Amino acid sequence: MAAPAEETSVGVIVPQTVHFDEPLALDSGRVLPGYTLAYETYGTLNADASNAILVCHALSGNHHAAGYHHAGERKPGWWEACIGPGKPLDTNRFFVVCSNNLGGCHGSTGPTSIDPETGELYGADFPLVTVRDWVRSQARLADHLGVARWAAVAGGSLGGMQAMQWAIDQPERLRHAVVIAAAPRLSAQNIAFNEVARQAIRSDPDFQDGRYAATGDRPRTGLMLARMLGHITYLSEAAMGEKFGRERRDTRGGYHYNYDVEFEVESYLRYQGESFVDRFDANTYLLMTRALDYFDPAAATDGDLSVALSGVTAPFFVASFTSDWRFPPAASHEIVRALLDTDKRVSYAEIRANHGHDAFLMPVPRYREVFSTYMQRIAEEVGV
């Protein structure tokens, strides 16, 4: 029998921030004179700092990966299914760290921060960042926390891409890479989805070339549409059918013959879009999608992923989900094949689940089982 939720939660968490004064050179050629990272930690760092896990978030995530910010909060962190006592990232054993990516809008330096050179909000002037830039910024966070080598770097979706980049760029600083529901690069279709989302935001009259903060406006409609589009891609057709079908909001009569909400799925998408605009920044959404587009480690090796991964030393755990059409199992197969081509150590699990891409966030029993088994091996390796 599963333990009660309150017994497997990390409880109330206080977010932290750290500021780095040393300039950070970015792949774009721009330089940030300094930056702040917001982060949360769960569990206790052991004496030799060998039990630390870095969790990297996806496109619309942030540093609040588990627990609650106050006792009455209804919704926990985004990876509550996997972080906490007795869960795959067991906080009775591991010290788990999650930071808000540079360019984010939840406490880390980004478009909603003040540009120290002008005294004004960065807004649209905040530089584009890449997954490699995030790894460099997170490495300084590791230094700040006294972690010379992560027991693992883990994440799903864009978070999994960061774990892969860590293994490439900082091979001596992680023992294991956990790459879940990710891909070695975006497909043309995925880039197309991102472009439609960006154009929805940029074509909103309230976007004002990204300088909407000066007038107090926000491109609410554009950001709402971008989020609605994203949600469609995160769910499988089977999951949407099971959850909504063709159920109508008003079952008492016939169609209304207008463009108001008639179907439950319409209501769901509008709710997701409308609630998102109150907690996310449009400029951040733009740069996060661009970072996704730019991720392609094999681009530096003439498209050969096995060569791009030839220098990694960390064993990989790679997992995919059968109904994920955004980052399908074939994308994970490519990562696994590239690792095997150069005799790297890799474990792979393909999980049958109908949730679509969002399955990596869900407490799918088989997923949690194989994830826990792999993390158990890491715990034994580091002696916790």
Side-chain angles (χ1 to χ4, degrees), residues 110-116 118-126 210-214:
T112 59
S113 305
I114 298 295
D115 181 348
T118 65
E120 304 290 336
L121 290 176
Y122 273 108
D125 294 325
F126 192 82
R211 305 186 190 283
Y212 44 86

Side-chain angles (χ1 to χ4, degrees), residues 36-58:
T36 295
L37 289 183
Y39 66 98
E40 291 183 3
T41 67
Y42 322 101
T44 303
L45 187 65
N46 62 3
D48 62 359
S50 64
N51 70 332
I53 305 281
L54 176 65
V55 166
C56 303
H57 69 74

Side-chain angles (χ1 to χ4, degrees), residues 12-332:
V12 175
I13 298 296
V14 178
Q16 303 176 65
T17 60
V18 58
H19 183 77
F20 300 96
D21 291 321
E22 182 183 352
L24 181 69
L26 304 174
D27 281 350
S28 66
R30 299 273 300 276
V31 177
L32 283 177
Y35 64 95
T36 295
L37 289 183
Y39 66 98
E40 291 183 3
T41 67
Y42 322 101
T44 303
L45 187 65
N46 62 3
D48 62 359
S50 64
N51 70 332
I53 305 281
L54 176 65
V55 166
C56 303
H57 69 74
L59 170 63
S60 58
N62 56 38
H63 55 294
H64 184 41
Y68 302 85
H69 285 157
H70 56 81
E73 189 172 22
R74 182 182 62 84
K75 188 176 182 180
W78 57 267
W79 222 7
E80 180 74 8
C82 293
I83 299 174
K87 298 178 183 179
L89 299 177
D90 189 343
T91 51
N92 289 332
R93 292 178 159 189
F94 296 113
F95 176 68
V96 181
V97 180
C98 185
S99 65
N100 184 210
N101 284 351
L102 193 65
C105 53
H106 293 94
S108 293
T109 299
T112 59
S113 305
I114 298 295
D115 181 348
E117 296 181 355
T118 65
E120 304 290 336
L121 290 176
Y122 273 108
D125 294 325
F126 192 82
L128 289 177
V129 291
T130 66
V131 173
R132 292 178 61 198
D133 294 330
W134 288 334
V135 170
R136 286 191 285 268
S137 69
Q138 293 160 353
R140 292 186 186 175
L141 176 60
D143 294 339
H144 167 74
L145 294 171
V147 177
R149 189 184 189 194
W150 300 106
V153 178
S157 191
L158 177 56
M161 295 174 177
Q162 292 170 70
M164 197 185 318
Q165 195 71 58
W166 260 95
I168 294 169
D169 291 352
Q170 306 272 347
E172 73 289 349
R173 298 206 66 175
L174 74 164
R175 288 180 179 271
H176 293 263
V178 175
V179 178
I180 301 172
R185 75 192 70 79
L186 288 198
S187 65
Q189 183 185 53
N190 273 309
I191 294 173
F193 283 130
N194 284 346
E195 174 60 5
V196 172
R198 286 191 293 266
Q199 289 305 316
I201 293 170
R202 291 172 58 84
S203 61
D204 187 322
D206 289 330
F207 181 66
Q208 302 174 70
D209 291 326
R211 305 186 190 283
Y212 44 86
T215 63
D217 295 320
R218 284 186 295 168
R220 296 183 65 90
T221 299
L223 185 55
M224 180 186 76
L225 291 173
R227 181 62 169 176
M228 290 169 70
L229 173 65
H231 255 280
I232 294 170
T233 70
Y234 302 150
L235 298 176
S236 69
E237 182 178 12
M240 293 189 79
E242 181 178 318
K243 188 170 186 176
F244 306 110
R246 289 182 53 85
E247 293 297 318
R248 292 177 53 224
R249 294 280 286 173
D250 182 1
T251 59
R252 294 171 298 177
Y255 294 133
H256 296 163
Y257 296 99
N258 59 33
Y259 296 108
D260 293 336
V261 170
E262 295 229 37
F263 295 93
E264 288 288 357
V265 68
E266 294 175 311
S267 176
Y268 168 80
L269 289 174
R270 291 194 192 189
Y271 169 77
Q272 291 295 334
E274 290 166 359
S275 62
F276 186 68
V277 301
D278 293 323
R279 67 177 191 270
F280 214 84
D281 176 64
N283 281 318
T284 289
Y285 199 89
L286 294 178
L287 71 84
M288 291 286 180
T289 60
R290 210 36 144 180
L292 263 169
D293 291 350
Y294 287 163
F295 178 76
D296 184 5
T301 56
D302 294 325
D304 191 330
L305 186 60
S306 61
V307 174
L309 293 171
S310 62
V312 307
T313 57
F316 273 61
F317 171 67
V318 180
S320 66
F321 299 91
T322 54
S323 61
D324 183 357
W325 58 277
R326 187 87 195 248
F327 293 151
S332 290

